[in-house]
Amino acid sequence: MRIGIPRALFYYQYFPFWKTLFEVLRFEVVLSPPTNKEILEQGTKLCVDDACLPIKVYHGHIAVLKDKVDMIFVPRVISIEPRKYICPKFLGLPDMIRNSIPDISRVLDTELNLYKGKYNMLNHVLNLGKILKINRSRILLAYYKAIKAQMKFEDLLIKKLATPQELFDKKQNFILESQLLKKHTNNIKVLLLGHNYNIYDDYISMGLIRKLRKNKIDLITTEMVEKKYITIGSKQLSKDMFWTLGEKTLGTAFYYLENSKVDGVIHVASFGCGPDSLVGEILEKKTKKQYKVPILYLNLDEHAGESGFNTRIEAFLDVLEGRKYLEDNLSAHG
Amino acid sequence: MKITFPHMGNIYIPLKTIFESLGCEVILPPPCSKKTLELGVAYSPEFACLPLKINIGNFIEALEKGADTIVMAGGVGPCRFGYYGEVQKEILKDLGFNFEMIILEPPQGNFIDLLNKIRLITNRNNNGVKDLIKAIRIGWKKALLLDEIEKQLFKYRPRERCKGQTEKVYNSLVKEILNAKCEKELALLETQIHDVFSNISVIKNLTPVKVGIVGEIYTVLEPFVNLNIEKQLGELGVEVYRNIYITDWVRENLLPSFIRSQDHNIMLKLAEPYINCFVGGHGQESVAQIINFSKMGFDGVIHLLPFTCMPEIVAKSAIPRINQEHHIPVMTIVLDEHSAETGFRTRLEAFVDMLCHNREVKNNAVLSGN
Ligand code: SF4
Ligand code: SF4
């Protein structure tokens, strides 16, 4: 039985977990190809037009997968940590897919809801097991292995300061740790903030990470930061942020800015993103007032032109380089 | 303490009544206007949803009039509304205003707790718990009456002989409700509502086209934001219905852990084939209501949402399918700071024309069927 997983949205967060889980249960996992022009076009055509770019792209991935598999995994991701949500659109994602792609094959839309506690991950898996008619001990074994793979994944992101793609080979298996090369950098440290499904999708982020790596920028994303630091950073908020991705963004930003650990910040948001319209404002206000670090705001939508995008990134990196140069020389003389 | 709060339709009336009867001074923001919108747009994040921007405009105008305390509802997500207050506070502080902001965060800080605190700090020694309860009862009664006269307004407006008469009647009733001081007065008013409206001279035997209004609650309830859509439709001879009133908002946002009515849950069931889960805001309600209106034989539905409104975008994804399966025309109107300029009236007229045409076709079919 082939199970399709769209290479979009929470693929970037949970793929090792789901892949391991389904493979241990002897399903064939079929991953859609990396986002490309056709996927984006299909997605834009099918999806309700007011949605944001990553949601449209998700629709596109479903479209290219749907006839190649027996069922598609579209979990209803309500919450991935206690007392926080992702976004109303994630809550309604399986519905949006069914509404907009009515001829879809079987949809596996098991709820993932850790709002009341992390242990609910097990419930998610047990429910999957029930629907797929798999006995409990096999499910528990798969769950155990999946958790291990997921933990390894999350640890490596932090330990190796790597992006998810850098950890996998073409077949989406972990590459050997010894092969994860240490990157040569020019000592300019940039905090790259934004939702994982945007910044790690090479096509919709117009190769942003590739470009930064090429410029030998020392890159930090929220996935590379230990939770405890994010928590410290987010203490600066006057009210608990109830969006996981928003809290990660702001917590990471404030922690690094407070400890003067970065030279520049890039904030990537989808055009029309609800949570980020407020998260971006909070980030901007506080940075302007308290920290003298340059920030670049990038908005992604299906019409964004790559050349303008590149120009802005280059100009920004120039600024950072100039500042670094001044700083180094001043301190050398001081 | 000079209290203010954002506008949303008639909600200022019960709120003003309650705060004033506890001895607070209330400084109402001027009614939402172009200026409110301009202020809001100038100082809010560009991609924030429209309600946040209009709130900002309200707050600035009220602070300029001398208010020093803002009361605002909070929330725990998943939608943006729950974080509005935090962001608005920062924006206003940066503009140099001096004020205090009270954000009602559920479940610890609800409206009644706030009132109780106010009762204790206002130095009127005759403010007992009894007075508090009385204030709330009067406020609630006012809200109920306001909803009732609005329903009457929708019913009579398309039928009136003399253009504008219903609205006049309605406005004078609003004034009376606003000024009413005690429950007795309100009870008397209640008995009169029916008579006052039935005195309006109407065109007999008219069966106007019936349109339901659904969507994001703020845009549905604040006429400035929805470009007075109910009035405009009324003028086009349409009888308008809606399912969300200020009492609903008050129940959901200001009262402690209110248990939703049975009806509400039954109605939500209608949404299940299309949206099988709470998606924040009123996304699920919108879908359920469209189907409900269709079952009640309405001619069409108008779905309102602010630009980038997340729950309603999810709801919107269901509309093509509902349209097919329930055969009801639905027009979605996305509202933002530019909507006034974009041929709104023309779109409404075209939609109403289509509904009238549909109805003729249906009637003819029935006639020839006989
Ligand atoms: S969080 Fe933002 S980008 Fe992500 S789905 Fe929601 S609106 Fe879109
Ligand atoms: S329901 Fe819509 S308008 Fe209200 S906060 Fe959410 S996105 Fe904004």
Side-chain angles (χ1 to χ4, degrees):
Chain A
M1 177 106 107
R2 283 161 309 165
I3 213 162
I5 297 189
R7 194 191 292 250
L9 296 181
F10 267 2
Y11 154 80
Y12 295 97
Q13 177 105 19
Y14 280 128
F15 186 65
F17 183 87
W18 288 326
K19 177 181 189 299
T20 313
L21 186 84
F22 290 125
E23 284 182 352
V24 172
L25 296 173
R26 300 225 181 80
F27 288 92
E28 185 189 335
V29 172
V30 181
L31 188 62
S32 56
T35 309
N36 55 35
K37 188 155 174 254
E38 189 211 335
I39 289 179
L40 175 59
E41 276 172 9
Q42 289 254 23
T44 311
K45 203 175 81 200
L46 290 165
C47 181
V48 51
D49 42 354
D50 310 74
C52 49
L53 181 62
I55 297 285
K56 288 182 181 165
V57 165
Y58 192 85
H59 282 64
H61 281 272
I62 301 268
V64 299
L65 264 180
K66 71 177 170 31
D67 300 325
K68 300 196 181 102
V69 294
D70 304 301
M71 66 175 119
I72 299 194
F73 186 47
V74 186
R76 194 187 289 279
V77 181
I78 292 178
S79 164
I80 61 166
E81 62 178 325
R83 314 206 61 77
K84 294 193 196 309
Y85 297 100
I86 301 300
C87 164
K89 288 179 206 162
F90 273 81
L91 278 110
L93 193 62
D95 303 312
M96 291 177 91
I97 294 296
R98 280 205 195 89
N99 288 331
S100 301
I101 314 179
D103 63 337
I104 191 172
S105 48
R106 205 174 144 203
V107 175
L108 194 56
D109 67 349
T110 315
E111 193 175 289
L112 172 59
N113 187 357
L114 312 187
Y115 195 86
K116 295 211 170 113
K118 292 248 180 210
Y119 56 87
N120 279 317
M121 194 68 184
L122 179 59
N123 284 347
H124 167 65
V125 171
L126 289 177
N127 285 336
L128 270 173
K130 245 183 246 156
I131 295 166
L132 298 171
K133 303 206 170 63
I134 292 164
N135 77 38
R136 212 179 145 92
S137 58
R138 270 186 71 210
I139 267 287
L140 286 175
L141 177 72
Y143 170 71
Y144 174 70
K145 292 201 165 150
I147 285 278
K148 260 180 74 178
Q150 183 68 19
M151 275 164 62
K152 178 173 172 193
F153 171 65
E154 290 174 13
D155 281 349
L156 281 176
L157 293 173
I158 293 171
K159 225 167 60 193
K160 299 286 173 188
L161 298 176
T163 67
Q165 296 95 316
E166 288 163 353
L167 295 180
F168 300 124
D169 62 15
K170 280 232 160 63
K171 289 199 174 129
Q172 299 290 310
N173 293 315
F174 285 113
I175 57 180
L176 290 177
E177 256 183 74
S178 53
Q179 283 175 357
L180 283 168
L181 297 177
K182 185 155 173 18
K183 288 151 206 103
H184 296 287
T185 71
N186 59 5
N187 286 325
I188 291 182
K189 202 173 231 178
V190 168
L191 206 55
L192 175 58
L193 302 171
H195 301 174
N196 45 16
Y197 44 79
N198 280 333
I199 59 174
Y200 300 131
D201 185 324
D202 189 77
Y203 188 80
I204 65 177
S205 67
M206 294 183 270
L208 179 58
I209 289 189
R210 240 187 318 118
K211 283 167 193 160
L212 295 174
R213 288 278 195 229
K214 211 169 121 202
N215 279 291
K216 301 210 168 48
I217 296 293
D218 212 349
L219 200 65
I220 309 270
T221 66
T222 58
E223 282 72 29
M224 302 174 190
V225 181
E226 273 183 73
K227 173 81 189 158
K228 64 176 182 213
Y229 299 124
I230 295 177
T231 311
I232 294 173
S234 63
K235 292 242 161 67
Q236 304 225 11
L237 290 166
S238 51
K239 169 180 176 177
D240 243 10
M241 168 126 315
F242 48 68
W243 296 303
T244 293
L245 302 179
E247 194 203 30
K248 273 174 122 186
T249 299
L250 293 175
T252 308
F254 295 156
Y255 176 76
Y256 275 85
L257 289 167
E258 192 67 35
N259 294 295
S260 318
K261 286 188 171 185
V262 285
D263 301 301
V265 179
I266 300 180
H267 184 232
V268 178
S270 321
F271 176 82
C273 169
D276 271 355
S277 66
L278 304 188
V279 168
E281 175 81 1
I282 296 170
L283 178 66
E284 185 175 348
K285 277 202 166 329
K286 206 169 160 75
T287 314
K288 260 197 197 141
K289 261 187 276 181
Q290 270 169 279
Y291 315 108
K292 303 275 170 287
V293 172
I295 299 200
L296 174 67
Y297 292 93
L298 296 173
N299 254 315
L300 304 178
D301 72 10
E302 56 270 40
H303 313 296
E306 188 163 350
S307 68
F309 191 80
N310 288 347
T311 320
R312 293 189 60 205
I313 297 171
E314 277 157 27
F316 182 71
L317 295 181
D318 281 347
V319 170
L320 299 190
E321 219 169 279
R323 281 169 59 109
K324 191 86 190 169
Y325 177 79
L326 280 179
E327 206 178 88
D328 290 350
N329 286 318
L330 286 182
S331 57
H333 294 289
Chain B
M1 191 183 333
K2 293 177 184 165
I3 289 191
T4 193
F5 42 78
H7 272 303
M8 182 168 74
N10 283 329
I11 202 164
Y12 70 95
I13 294 175
L15 291 182
K16 181 171 187 278
T17 303
I18 293 175
F19 285 123
E20 282 184 346
S21 55
L22 290 172
C24 302
E25 192 180 333
V26 172
I27 307 242
L28 287 179
C32 298
S33 68
K34 224 176 142 212
K35 182 169 166 234
T36 317
L37 176 67
E38 281 166 8
L39 285 169
V41 170
Y43 299 113
S44 308
E46 186 182 353
F47 294 113
C49 31
L50 195 54
L52 182 143
K53 298 183 185 178
I54 308 269
N55 288 171
I56 285 283
N58 286 153
F59 293 150
I60 292 177
E61 289 184 292
L63 292 170
E64 281 172 347
K65 271 173 72 184
D68 59 20
T69 307
I70 296 173
V71 177
M72 178 70 191
V76 292
C79 211
R80 276 182 268 190
F81 183 72
Y83 227 81
Y84 269 21
E86 295 301 314
V87 173
Q88 291 166 336
K89 189 167 64 187
E90 291 304 314
I91 293 173
L92 296 170
K93 267 203 237 149
D94 283 359
L95 289 174
F97 287 109
N98 215 337
F99 64 96
E100 218 197 304
M101 189 144 177
I102 301 172
I103 303 174
L104 304 168
E105 293 296 354
Q108 313 91 337
N110 65 55
F111 186 56
I112 310 244
D113 288 342
L114 171 71
L115 295 177
N116 203 20
K117 270 184 219 142
I118 292 177
R119 179 181 71 80
L120 296 173
I121 51 177
T122 41
N123 34 6
R124 295 196 322 171
N125 30 12
N126 57 345
N127 246 347
V129 175
K130 246 197 191 149
D131 300 285
L132 171 64
I133 294 172
K134 211 170 98 194
I136 293 172
R137 284 182 56 154
I138 294 178
W140 182 247
K141 185 79 203 172
K142 285 191 175 185
L144 287 170
L145 290 188
L146 286 164
D147 286 353
E148 177 55 33
I149 62 170
E150 227 179 349
K151 285 176 199 164
Q152 299 293 335
L153 169 69
F154 297 156
K155 186 170 146 204
Y156 280 92
R157 188 155 45 196
R159 295 180 166 85
E160 66 191 5
R161 268 183 200 284
C162 169
K163 268 226 171 322
Q165 198 195 351
T166 321
E167 186 134 331
K168 256 192 221 137
V169 168
Y170 168 80
N171 284 336
S172 74
L173 282 170
V174 170
K175 242 187 228 128
E176 283 186 56
I177 295 174
L178 174 67
N179 294 329
K181 291 275 172 295
C182 59
E183 279 185 86
K184 241 201 213 140
E185 231 177 296
L186 288 169
L188 186 67
L189 256 174
E190 188 175 15
T191 58
Q192 294 165 353
I193 288 176
H194 195 74
D195 295 344
V196 180
F197 276 100
S198 50
N199 273 338
I200 294 171
S201 138
V202 293
I203 306 166
K204 296 251 158 56
N205 301 328
L206 188 73
T207 45
V209 166
K210 283 207 286 191
V211 169
I213 306 255
V214 305
E216 188 278 324
I217 189 161
Y218 179 85
T219 32
V220 171
L221 292 182
E222 176 50 53
F224 174 75
V225 170
N226 63 38
L227 307 172
N228 240 318
I229 191 167
E230 282 149 351
K231 182 170 178 200
Q232 296 211 40
L233 286 169
E235 286 168 3
L236 293 173
V238 172
E239 187 170 356
V240 178
Y241 277 79
R242 60 170 208 243
N243 261 327
I244 317 174
Y245 287 90
I246 52 176
T247 43
D248 298 306
W249 190 89
V250 171
R251 273 190 194 126
E252 284 168 28
N253 291 278
L254 298 183
L255 302 183
S257 56
F258 169 77
I259 303 151
R260 290 190 176 195
S261 68
Q262 205 55 30
D263 291 357
H264 189 92
N265 290 336
I266 292 171
M267 199 185 60
L268 278 188
K269 275 233 167 311
L270 294 174
E272 264 170 28
Y274 307 93
I275 299 188
N276 195 6
C277 168
F278 173 64
V279 294
H282 286 79
Q284 239 187 331
E285 275 89 345
S286 292
V287 166
Q289 283 163 10
I290 295 173
I291 299 165
N292 198 30
F293 280 130
S294 148
K295 287 194 189 299
M296 285 159 62
F298 274 61
D299 298 283
V301 174
I302 292 182
H303 175 221
L304 298 175
L305 66 146
F307 182 56
T308 74
C309 175
M310 302 179 279
E312 298 300 336
I313 288 175
V314 177
K316 194 180 167 204
S317 79
I319 290 177
R321 250 181 80 206
I322 299 177
N323 194 313
Q324 260 178 22
E325 290 164 19
H326 291 270
H327 312 287
I328 183 150
V330 181
M331 176 163 81
T332 299
I333 298 183
V334 180
L335 293 152
D336 68 6
E337 48 261 47
H338 312 294
S339 28
E341 302 143 27
T342 49
F344 186 73
R345 180 73 172 213
T346 327
R347 279 189 71 195
L348 284 187
E349 278 169 9
F351 185 64
V352 173
D353 278 351
M354 181 190 79
L355 300 185
C356 292
H357 176 76
N358 284 356
R359 196 184 259 197
E360 265 169 41
V361 172
K362 230 187 266 166
N363 287 347
N364 287 343
V366 173
L367 285 181
S368 54
N370 282 345

